[in-house]
């Protein structure tokens, strides 16, 4: 008997610890990150038996990096400059090689995280002009513009204008003497239309943005190397780096392989031809002869019906995830809130402490709350449920409390006078009378939870937010609607269903 | 039998007591009426007898049992209590309001039904579909009558009634007076009624207790009050109302 138990335990152990059969790939929430994650996924599927799980579209560097650190994902692509300035918080601008050496060394020492070699291209800031603008015909390098730009109009994203190492350093370093009324800070989407319509002449862009190709722009060379290097690598978590040596070999196939032009083109394929990141990654690998498998991809120019049909499985999956997230949370928080709400009506001094606390939770922006929870709960379904749970507390507890609190005291006394115990008063008088208010809280909470659950996609918990955020990142409105419409319908339906349940539970004697 | 000795209730230490050292006894099978101006402490006295309010000092006996050492809930269940403004639960229909305690005690459904039919006759609401209605669908007087039926449901030997006939027209009120006197005569119930109405007190009360400012000014029969008022205030109180 004991032997069997030991064998089973050992079996469990080896499954979890030694023979890993699964690898979790993450990505951040923009086109390029999606493509690079899919590229690695395809190569792993092609050459190993490992199961690939994808947690794509994580909401920012912090989320992705924390997830890697605590093992919720095994690998994701990121940029040397991001690791250098955002994670290591270093300021001094160094050469690409030095920057890479520092992040590689410090990440290994601090967290056991390994940086692969650069995949080749550099995605940093760049100065772009129209290809057909005659004034720039002979200009290839930024330094050629020194002291010649007073009459030119110039736009850059807000963050670039504000950063110390952004606009100010840039214009000084190259002696760019823009007239102050020719400088505009702009949202990046608008910037491209502005330069197309010749409302501005020079704009600051990300150097691998697909729109550079679409809007027919050319980049001027940063010949003084002012912009910090942002070379992309795969970051590999400590455990998986040791456990799966094959992964190193696979990644090395991609090192130094992708040029800037190729990356721009891939981003362009996704953002403008609405191809899926996976298809674009696949076509690139095929072209480079890095992959053997043959895949078929649905054509995104098909009609709406065909589109929905091709997404049916996916839609069912994310809908399921969303339902579990929202209603799982509501179920627990409803039970707990009712109990807490009742408790607070019995111990008023507790209410004085509790309400400021749960009010404060409500004011924390959702993304910040998720950010707090990641170090504790990692990424995925659990921190998402915890966050949703915290958000649903206020309407539920407050309405339970207020609902009971606002019952006429004489009525309670009459019931007590008849000879009801405290528990009977709660069960037969207070709760039935508070039900309309409690239901109002439940309906508010359900709308909050279903809406906020879309953000769960940013921490790898899936749900209807997954297509929404991927759609936003890859400028794909079909994909956005694929998540947004069901989410809105779900909120409306659940409100109606709760209203129906309410009208069944609440006595006609207290309906108006 | 209801008996209180030196009963006092102070809601705060600074203000003067709401009920100030009162003593009286209602013998078994008798009806006593407490009258007095608004705020003189009538409801507070009733609530103390029903153990809804804890006395500051003094003793209470019902059927020779001291209220001390008795479980509050059991005590209240043995007493019928008609609340000042009927106190019906708005989410329950008339039937469920009346049978509230009977259901908790898990009494036989058929017996409950029979008893309620009987009580609806007593309060003169046997006709229409009243049992199905919610309190908001009743007039003020009908609500008060249902409140009385609820207090009678468990057939208690002692009834406390806080202005039970306040919102009733003279005809209904008269018939309920008769019913109450019958109940008292046939079932030997001990009844303590709070009222504003001196003629009602004279008609129903074997004994009348006049309170003012938390104290008992005079206690005795209707004749005592008519013929031998203890002071001018009592005399004026009685005459002022009877002349209306
Ligand atoms: N819970 C309480 N806390 C403080 N004071 C109270 C409380 N209940 C009653 N009182 C005060 O005690 C006094 C007596 O109140 P009580 O309700 O017994 O008057 P009452 O004789 O029934 O008057 P009414 O005829 O208007 O019903 C009043 O002054 C009232 O304000
Ligand atoms: Mg009163």
């Amino acid at each position: 008997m004991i032997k069997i138990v030991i064998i089973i335990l050992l079996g469990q152990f080896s499954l979890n610890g030694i023979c890993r059969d699964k690898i979790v790939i993450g990505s951040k929430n923009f086109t390029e990150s999606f493509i690079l994650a899919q590229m690695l996924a395809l190569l792993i599927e092609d050459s190993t038996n490992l199961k690939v799980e994808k947690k794509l579209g994580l909401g920012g560097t912090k989320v992705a990096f924390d997830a890697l650190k605590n093992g919720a994902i095994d690998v994701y692509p990121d940029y040397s400059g991001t690791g250098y300035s955002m994670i290591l918080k270093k300021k001094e601008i160094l050469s690409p090689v030095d920057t890479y050496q520092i992040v590689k060394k410090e990440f290994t020492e601090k967290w056991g995280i390994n940086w692969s070699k650069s995949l080749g291209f550099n995605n940093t800031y760049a100065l772009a002009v129209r290809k057909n603008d005659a004034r720039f015909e002979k200009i290839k390098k930024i330094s050629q513009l020194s002291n010649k730009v007073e009459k030119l109009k110039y736009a850059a994203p807000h963050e670039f204008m504000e950063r110390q190492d952004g606009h100010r350093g840039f214009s000084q370093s190259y002696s760019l003497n823009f007239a102050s009324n020719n400088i505009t800070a702009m949202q990046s989407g608008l910037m491209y239309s502005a330069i197309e319509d010749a409302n501005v002449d020079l704009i600051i862009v990300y150097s691998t943005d697909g729109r550079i190709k679409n809007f027919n722009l050319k980049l001027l060379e940063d010949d003084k190397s002012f912009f910090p290097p942002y070379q992309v690598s795969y970051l590999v978590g400590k455990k998986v780096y040791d456990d799966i040596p094959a992964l190193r070999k696979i990644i090395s196939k991609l090192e130094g392989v992708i040029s800037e032009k190729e990356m721009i083109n891939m981003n362009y394929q996704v953002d403008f031809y609405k191809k899926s990141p996976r298809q674009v990654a696949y076509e690139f690998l095929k072209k480079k002869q890095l992959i053997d498998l043959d895949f078929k991809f649905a054509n995104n120019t098909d009609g709406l019906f065909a589109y929905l049909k091709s997404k049916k499985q996916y839609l069912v999956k994310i809908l399921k995830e969303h339902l579990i997230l929202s209603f799982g949370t509501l179920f627990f928080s409803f039970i707990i809130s009712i109990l807490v709400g009742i408790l607070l009506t019995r111990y008023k001094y507790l209410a004085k402490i509790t309400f400021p606390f749960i009010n404060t939770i409500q004011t924390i922006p959702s993304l910040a709350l998720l950010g707090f929870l990641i170090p504790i709960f990692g990424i995925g379904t659990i921190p998402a449920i915890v966050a949703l749970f915290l958000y649903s507390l206020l309407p539920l507890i407050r309405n339970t409390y207020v609902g009971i609190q606002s019952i006429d005291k004489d009525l309670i006394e009459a019931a007590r006078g008849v000879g009801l115990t405290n528990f009977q008063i709660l069960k037969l008088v207070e709760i039935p009378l508070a039900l309309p208010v409690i239901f109002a809280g439940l309906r508010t909470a359900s709308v909050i939870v279903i809406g906020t659950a879309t953000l769960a996609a940013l921490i790898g918990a899936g749900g209807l937010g997954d297509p929404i955020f991927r759609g936003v990142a890859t400028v794909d409105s079909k994909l956005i609607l694929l998540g947004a419409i069901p989410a809105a319908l779900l909120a409306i339906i659940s409100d109606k269903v709760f209203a129906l349940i309410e009208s069944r539970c609440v006595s006609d004697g207290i309906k108006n | 039998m209801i008996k209180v000795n030196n009963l006092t209730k102070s809601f705060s230490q600074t203000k003067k007591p709401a009920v100030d050292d009162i003593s009286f006894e209602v013998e078994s099978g008798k009806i006593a009426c407490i009258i007095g101006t608004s705020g003189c402490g009538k409801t507070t006295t009733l609530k103390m007898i029903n153990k809804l309010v804890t006395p500051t000092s003094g003793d209470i006996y019902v059927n020779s049992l001291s209220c001390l050492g008795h479980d509050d809930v059991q005590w209240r269940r043995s007493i019928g209590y008609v609340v000042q403004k009927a106190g019906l639960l708005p989410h329950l229909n008339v039937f469920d309001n009346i049978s509230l305690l009977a259901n908790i005690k898990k009494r036989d459904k058929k017996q409950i039904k029979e008893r309620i039919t009987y009580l609806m006759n007593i309060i003169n609401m046997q006709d229409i579909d009243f049992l199905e209605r919610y309190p908001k669908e009743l007039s003020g007087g009908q609500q008060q009558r249902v409140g009385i039926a609820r207090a009678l449901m468990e057939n208690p030997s002692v009834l406390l009634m806080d202005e039970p006939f306040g919102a009733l027209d003279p005809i209904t009120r008269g018939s309920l007076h008769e019913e109450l006197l019958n109940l008292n005569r046939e079932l030997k119930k001990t009844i303590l009624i709070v009222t504003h109405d001196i003629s009602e007190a004279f008609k129903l009360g074997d004994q009348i207790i006049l309170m003012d400012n938390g104290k008992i000014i005079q206690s005795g029969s209707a004749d005592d009050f008519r013929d031998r008022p203890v002071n001018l205030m009592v005399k004026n109180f009685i005459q002022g109302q009877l002349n209306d």
Side-chain angles (χ1 to χ4, degrees):
Chain A
M1 180 67 199
I2 293 174
K3 247 186 194 167
I4 296 173
V5 172
I6 290 176
I7 288 171
I8 291 171
L9 282 178
L10 279 178
Q12 288 290 354
F13 183 68
S14 61
L15 271 181
N16 293 336
I18 300 162
C19 321
R20 294 181 54 121
D21 59 348
K22 184 181 92 171
I23 181 159
V24 186
I25 300 179
S27 86
K28 292 203 276 188
N29 189 27
F30 50 93
T31 304
E32 190 165 295
S33 201
F34 287 126
I35 295 173
L36 294 174
Q38 291 288 5
M39 209 177 270
L40 183 59
L42 284 164
L43 280 183
I44 295 172
E45 287 166 24
D46 184 52
S47 55
T48 72
N49 290 325
L50 291 167
K51 232 186 106 215
V52 175
E53 192 179 315
K54 279 168 270 183
K55 295 221 180 287
L56 307 188
L58 299 173
T61 302
K62 190 177 153 41
V63 177
F65 177 65
D66 281 346
L68 183 66
K69 227 170 30 180
N70 64 23
I73 59 174
D74 296 318
V75 50
Y76 86 98
D78 213 335
Y79 302 85
S80 55
T82 308
Y84 184 78
S85 65
M86 280 190 57
I87 299 174
L88 297 175
K89 311 251 183 278
K90 294 191 189 290
K91 296 231 159 59
E92 190 193 354
I93 292 172
L94 301 175
S95 75
V97 177
D98 291 344
T99 309
Y100 172 76
Q101 289 303 341
I102 287 176
V103 290
K104 184 171 173 67
K105 184 159 163 287
E106 294 204 14
F107 272 60
T108 313
E109 283 170 8
K110 283 192 175 143
W111 302 291
I113 291 172
N114 187 276
W115 283 70
S116 76
K117 291 210 185 90
S118 155
L119 305 190
F121 65 89
N122 189 15
N123 180 7
T124 183
Y125 290 114
L127 189 63
V129 298
R130 279 186 306 278
K131 254 186 197 159
N132 60 8
D133 191 333
R135 291 170 293 181
F136 300 107
E137 205 178 345
K138 295 222 172 73
I139 291 180
K140 290 221 158 53
K141 301 171 178 180
I142 301 176
S143 57
Q144 292 174 284
L145 290 173
S146 292
N147 297 316
K148 290 180 194 155
V149 293
E150 323 160 59
K151 299 224 174 75
L152 297 178
K153 295 202 179 97
Y154 158 85
H158 294 273
E159 55 154 22
F160 184 77
M161 288 297 185
E162 277 146 32
R163 282 167 72 141
Q164 272 303 317
D165 59 347
H167 170 70
R168 194 180 310 166
F170 174 60
S171 52
Q172 272 168 12
S173 161
Y174 280 105
S175 311
L176 299 176
N177 53 339
F178 295 110
S180 61
N181 57 349
N182 282 341
I183 302 177
T184 323
M186 252 188 219
Q187 195 259 331
S188 69
L190 299 175
M191 233 165 43
Y192 283 96
S193 334
I195 194 165
E196 182 177 42
D197 301 342
N199 290 327
V200 296
D201 307 311
L202 302 130
I203 61 175
I204 294 284
V205 298
Y206 288 111
S207 56
T208 55
D209 195 313
R211 286 172 288 198
I212 293 168
K213 190 173 161 114
N214 189 53
F215 285 88
N216 211 9
L217 305 180
K218 82 172 178 190
L219 303 182
L220 303 181
E221 189 193 332
D222 176 24
D223 51 332
K224 288 191 181 169
S225 295
F226 172 79
F227 294 123
Y230 279 80
Q231 285 175 311
V232 81
S233 295
Y234 289 110
L235 277 65
V236 186
K238 181 175 166 40
K239 268 203 6 232
V240 73
Y241 191 76
D242 298 335
D243 291 351
I244 310 179
L247 183 61
R248 266 174 276 175
K249 246 174 79 197
I250 293 170
I251 290 177
S252 72
K253 289 191 204 166
L254 291 171
E255 288 169 349
V257 165
I258 309 170
S259 74
E260 213 149 301
K261 226 174 165 172
E262 284 167 326
M263 195 67 239
I264 293 176
N265 188 45
M266 284 192 274
N267 287 333
Y268 176 64
Q269 297 288 323
V270 172
D271 291 348
F272 294 94
Y273 286 124
K274 306 299 174 207
K275 285 187 186 171
S276 72
R278 188 173 168 85
Q279 181 180 1
V280 170
Y282 171 75
E283 286 167 0
F284 177 81
L285 292 174
K286 261 292 184 219
K287 199 179 80 195
K288 296 271 172 180
Q289 295 179 327
L290 292 169
I291 194 168
D292 299 327
L293 289 177
D294 280 312
F295 288 100
K296 283 253 175 300
F297 291 92
N299 198 339
N300 202 351
T301 53
D302 291 346
L304 183 66
F305 186 72
Y307 178 76
L308 284 177
K309 206 171 150 196
S310 73
K311 296 282 183 193
K312 190 176 141 200
Q313 244 182 341
Y314 171 66
L315 191 60
V316 169
K317 171 176 161 279
I318 54 175
L319 196 61
K320 230 191 214 157
E321 287 168 343
H322 207 86
L323 287 172
I324 291 172
L325 276 177
S326 336
F327 291 98
T329 307
L330 274 180
F331 178 75
F332 286 115
S333 98
F334 182 69
I335 291 175
I336 291 173
S337 300
I338 296 279
L339 294 178
V340 172
I342 291 169
L343 196 76
L344 296 184
T345 61
R346 301 301 188 259
Y347 303 98
K348 301 261 164 52
Y349 60 92
L350 281 182
K352 283 204 190 101
I353 313 168
T354 311
F355 279 111
F357 179 69
I358 51 178
N359 278 328
T360 311
I361 293 179
Q362 208 73 12
T363 62
I364 304 175
S366 349
L367 274 178
L369 184 62
L370 290 172
F372 292 142
L373 294 174
I374 289 168
I376 310 169
F377 296 103
I379 62 165
T381 311
I382 293 174
I385 286 184
V386 173
L388 294 175
F389 173 79
L390 290 174
Y391 278 126
S392 60
L393 285 181
L394 181 65
L396 286 171
I397 295 183
R398 184 189 52 202
N399 282 41
T400 307
Y401 179 81
V402 171
I404 293 179
Q405 206 55 33
S406 56
I407 298 171
D408 186 359
K409 293 287 163 293
D410 289 344
L411 219 49
I412 306 285
E413 193 165 55
R416 181 164 287 125
V418 169
L420 269 57
T421 63
N422 281 333
F423 181 71
Q424 286 160 351
I425 290 176
L426 178 66
K427 189 177 120 191
L428 300 174
V429 182
E430 289 177 310
I431 290 183
L433 287 177
L435 266 189
V437 187
I438 294 176
F439 264 105
L442 183 59
R443 287 163 69 176
T444 310
S446 81
V447 172
I448 291 179
V449 165
I450 290 169
T452 316
T454 53
L455 295 179
L458 295 176
I459 56 167
L464 294 170
D466 189 66
I468 296 179
F469 287 106
R470 284 201 297 134
V472 170
T474 59
V475 208
D476 184 343
S477 46
K478 256 192 202 164
L479 206 51
I480 297 176
L481 293 178
L482 191 68
I485 291 176
L489 286 179
L490 198 59
I492 295 170
I493 292 171
S494 94
D495 189 59
K496 289 277 171 275
V497 169
F498 281 126
L500 202 75
I501 299 175
E502 174 180 350
S503 75
R504 297 216 142 193
C505 291
V506 171
S507 153
D508 288 334
I510 52 174
K511 280 183 201 150
N512 33 15
Chain B
M1 178 275 267
I2 302 168
K3 187 174 166 190
V4 305
N5 283 338
N6 306 105
L7 195 60
T8 299
K9 176 68 194 181
S10 304
F11 284 106
S12 74
Q13 304 210 311
T14 47
K15 282 191 213 133
K16 63 173 187 51
V19 173
D20 194 357
D21 192 25
I22 64 169
S23 304
F24 64 85
E25 177 170 358
V26 187
E27 285 168 34
S28 288
K30 300 278 189 216
I31 299 179
C33 292
I34 302 182
I35 54 173
T37 49
S38 178
C40 73
K42 306 182 294 290
T43 297
T44 307
T45 305
L46 245 52
K47 282 183 183 169
M48 283 193 283
I49 297 172
N50 201 34
K51 293 193 83 169
L52 282 170
V53 168
T54 316
T56 311
S57 64
D59 306 317
I60 297 166
Y61 300 89
V62 169
N63 295 335
S64 306
L65 298 172
S66 164
C67 80
L68 297 171
H70 268 87
D71 174 58
D72 292 0
V73 169
Q74 293 309 326
W75 181 269
R76 289 175 201 136
R77 286 183 184 181
S78 71
I79 295 173
Y81 183 42
V82 182
V83 194
Q84 188 157 357
K85 279 182 221 107
L88 299 182
L89 299 177
H91 61 295
L92 300 181
N93 64 24
V94 168
F95 187 95
D96 291 339
N97 260 293
I98 298 178
S99 60
L100 186 60
L101 197 54
N103 280 328
I104 287 173
K105 290 179 170 171
K106 299 212 162 44
R107 291 212 190 291
D108 177 54
K109 293 265 179 275
K110 215 177 123 215
Q111 277 178 9
I112 293 180
K113 246 194 163 136
E114 282 169 7
R115 174 92 183 137
I116 290 182
T117 312
Y118 166 76
L119 291 170
M120 292 306 275
N121 270 309
I122 287 196
I123 58 172
N124 212 354
M125 284 173 67
Q126 64 278 49
D127 296 339
I128 329 174
D129 58 328
F130 282 120
L131 289 176
E132 301 288 305
R133 292 209 201 167
Y134 288 97
K136 69 173 181 190
E137 297 159 340
L138 302 178
S139 72
Q142 288 167 338
Q143 290 187 25
Q144 281 196 325
R145 283 185 274 164
V146 174
I148 294 168
R150 181 172 70 183
L152 291 171
M153 178 69 192
E154 294 295 297
N155 204 7
S157 63
V158 170
L159 268 178
L160 306 175
M161 311 178 92
D162 200 344
E163 298 184 33
F165 311 118
L168 296 180
D169 64 284
I171 295 174
T172 317
R173 186 190 293 226
S175 85
L176 273 172
H177 286 165
E178 291 309 317
E179 287 306 330
L180 200 72
L181 290 169
N182 278 340
L183 270 176
N184 171 247
R185 240 172 269 135
E186 289 167 18
L187 303 172
K188 295 276 169 275
K189 296 203 183 305
T190 312
I191 304 176
L192 182 59
I193 305 176
V194 166
T195 172
H196 273 122
D197 179 353
I198 196 93
S199 59
E200 182 170 271
F202 280 7
K203 180 174 170 194
L204 297 176
D206 299 308
Q207 177 189 356
I208 292 155
I209 300 163
L210 177 68
M211 287 181 69
D212 190 35
N213 261 326
K215 289 195 193 313
I216 294 181
I217 306 298
Q218 183 168 356
S219 170
S221 67
D223 289 339
D224 288 339
F225 274 80
R226 252 190 300 260
D227 306 338
R228 294 174 288 280
V230 292
N231 59 26
L232 197 63
M233 180 241 148
V234 175
K235 194 172 169 171
N236 290 340
F237 189 87
I238 294 167
Q239 277 180 348
Q241 281 208 15
L242 287 179
N243 292 342
D244 280 348

